[in-house]
Amino acid sequence: MTQLETRPQVGGTVRGRSEGGVRAKGLEKNSVGLLGSAVIGISTVAPVYCLTSTLGSTAGEVGLQMPAVFLAGFLPMLLVAFAYRELNRVMPDSGTSFTWTVKAFGPRVGWMCGWGLVIATIIVLSNLAGVATSYFWLLAGEVTGSDAIAALDGNKAVHILTCLLLIAVATAISYRGMTATKRVQYALVGLQLVVLAVFVTMALQKAGAGAFDTGVDFSWSWMNPFAVQSFAAFTAGLSLSIFMYWGWDACLSTNEETTGSDRTPGRGALIAMVVLVGSYLATGIAAQMAVGSGDKGLGLANPDTSDNVFAALAGPVMGPVLGVALFIAVLASAAASLQTTFIPVARTVLAMSSYEALPGSFSKVHPRFKVPGRATVVAGIATGAFYTVMTLVSEHVLIDTIYALGLMICFYYALTAFACAWYFRAELFRSGRDFAFKGLFPVLGGVLLSAVFGKTLFDMWDPAYGSGSSVFGVGSVFVIGVGLLLLGGVIMTVMRRRSPAFFRGEVLTKDTPSMVVQD
């Protein structure tokens, strides 16, 4: 039996060419296994942080249908995950979305897709650093019993300096390579999942004992998305849910460093997705049963506590001693994600530089640690500068930048999903499996995320969206979100002058693999 090879040739040096195929970049091979890949995906999502910051908001939008919305948000992510898996099988390249969309749609679309990933990651990194800083001082106040220490987070100078220190530590760990990263992540992710399991167990015990007046009995109707009171409420909850899954694709960015690079990262991504949806459903259901989703008392939608649910529930549900463990878990979640989120941005920049879509200096790999050293450091500096400037200029601008994040996420995920179907278009009718996993599922995921993109874009026009700020009557979230995408277009125009070969399609060619021929 012979086959017509469909995988682009991997080879050459960092600057060497491979006839339009992907390039080896000097990263440390076989340094990540299946477990490490899944852990990186889970860590980047930061499940405990996502839960404490969005449980209340989601409950406020959709009430008891929160578990159904968690499932609804999981669906497009799962469908897109299939696209990532199939593309990674034929092109295990650290550039992931950038490289794949270039191969499918050409250099301009691919460049903008890479930009969407990079700018989304910078926004997330700055947000995670801020959250980790706040929880650091909150935890310090809890441990010492000092309100004065906890209040240091409100001191802008102390907050910024602490934030910059955390960013520097996370950058240093990422700079030392995947071995150091894995060791830290195993401990932090393990801590998160154990504490979540304890919280779920104790919340169910409290619910069974009727410990809180606002608690409610479980009902299978909670799993029905059609029971949400309005379409507007459903889409708002869905946007929050999609954000809660963002980051699982980080394990794909390490594909050139993973054992079995063509299959292991895809499997790791699917494992991460299953762990995440299971954790979210278990926590959401247990919390609702214990305290309900109302806006009174300990209810999840109480506006006084909805932006930080675990801070309100830690003591009542877990007691004073174990409650501190929940604070530690949130801090660990934000810190772990801060560190692993450097992985996709550094490796995307490395790939874009290796293919001459960005300045060549970013393609340098550290000779000892085998990581994109300059790209990692620059990402850290950019994150620190972004957070500092936004914090000093206006808290409202920083909040609106975070709200604009959903636009970037839907943008590059949807493009990657459509790239899968288009890249494999010659193979779609070869078998039922190919049609489903290379065509149908990715297209459905792309359509769903495109719909969320369009609805979010429409909602952002209203100044009431986000902090309530506006620019000439247009919502500042819209201005920031669209402005950041347009900034990418400007930078791309500059790079077209500096690197004409890439934009002529001479470095990374647009192509489609031929169908497998057997004899």
Side-chain angles (χ1 to χ4, degrees), residues 72-377:
F74 172 70
L75 177 60
M77 290 299 184
L78 177 64
L79 296 174
V80 171
F82 289 130
Y84 272 74
R85 184 187 67 177
E86 296 303 320
L87 286 165
N88 184 75
R89 281 180 172 176
V90 298
M91 284 182 285
D93 187 89
S94 64
T96 61
S97 292
F98 159 74
T99 304
W100 300 334
T101 48
V102 170
K103 297 293 284 184
F105 298 134
R108 292 172 182 80
V109 175
W111 199 98
M112 286 302 299
C113 187
W115 169 257
L117 188 156
V118 168
I119 197 63
T121 308
I122 293 296
I123 294 172
V124 170
L125 280 169
S126 64
N127 184 37
L128 287 167
V131 170
T133 297
S134 295
Y135 263 90
F136 173 81
W137 290 114
L138 182 61
L139 178 61
E142 286 286 324
V143 172
T144 60
S146 172
D147 292 336
I149 291 179
L152 285 174
D153 185 57
N155 183 308
K156 188 168 287 189
V158 172
H159 179 92
I160 291 175
L161 288 174
T162 307
C163 188
L164 293 177
L165 179 61
L166 289 175
I167 291 172
V169 171
T171 304
I173 295 173
S174 297
Y175 188 86
R176 291 185 62 83
M178 292 306 301
T179 301
T181 296
K182 286 191 303 179
R183 290 171 180 168
V184 173
Q185 292 307 319
Y186 286 152
L188 295 180
V189 171
L191 173 64
Q192 289 181 65
L193 296 180
V194 168
V195 173
L196 266 187
V198 173
F199 173 83
V200 169
T201 301
M202 298 188 74
L204 291 175
Q205 289 175 347
K206 297 285 186 180
F212 307 112
D213 295 337
T214 55
V216 293
D217 293 331
F218 173 77
S219 172
W220 285 107
S221 65
W222 296 357
M223 302 296 179
N224 180 14
F226 299 103
V228 178
Q229 63 268 32
S230 69
F231 182 70
F234 175 77
T235 55
L238 185 63
S239 296
L240 289 168
S241 179
I242 287 175
F243 167 74
M244 290 178 70
Y245 292 104
W246 180 84
W248 56 266
D249 55 309
C251 55
L252 276 299
S253 298
T254 64
N255 48 22
E256 294 187 45
E257 299 153 271
T258 303
T259 303
S261 60
D262 57 341
R263 294 184 179 272
T264 301
R267 292 171 178 168
L270 293 176
I271 291 172
M273 294 285 284
V274 171
V275 171
L276 289 169
V277 71
S279 300
Y280 292 163
L281 286 175
T283 306
I285 291 171
Q288 281 195 167
M289 290 177 65
V291 301
S293 61
D295 58 1
K296 305 296 182 184
L298 289 175
L300 296 176
N302 187 325
D304 295 330
T305 58
S306 62
D307 61 342
N308 192 351
V309 168
F310 286 156
L313 298 184
V317 173
M318 301 180 70
V321 177
L322 288 177
V324 173
L326 193 54
F327 281 96
I328 295 174
V330 177
L331 175 59
S333 182
S337 184
L338 174 63
Q339 195 253 310
T340 52
T341 304
F342 277 102
I343 293 173
V345 66
R347 281 148 184 80
T348 298
V349 169
L350 169 68
M352 293 179 76
S353 177
S354 296
Y355 296 120
E356 302 174 28
L358 285 177
S361 59
F362 291 113
S363 66
K364 294 180 180 179
V365 172
H366 193 281
R368 176 184 173 190
F369 300 126
K370 302 297 182 182
V371 297
R374 178 165 296 186
T376 300
V377 171

Side-chain angles (χ1 to χ4, degrees), residues 433-456:
R433 183 201 176 281
D434 285 337
F435 178 76
F437 290 104
K438 296 179 180 178
L440 178 62
F441 293 163
V443 168
L444 285 177
V447 168
L448 289 172
L449 290 174
S450 296
V452 175
F453 179 91
K455 182 64 167 60
T456 303

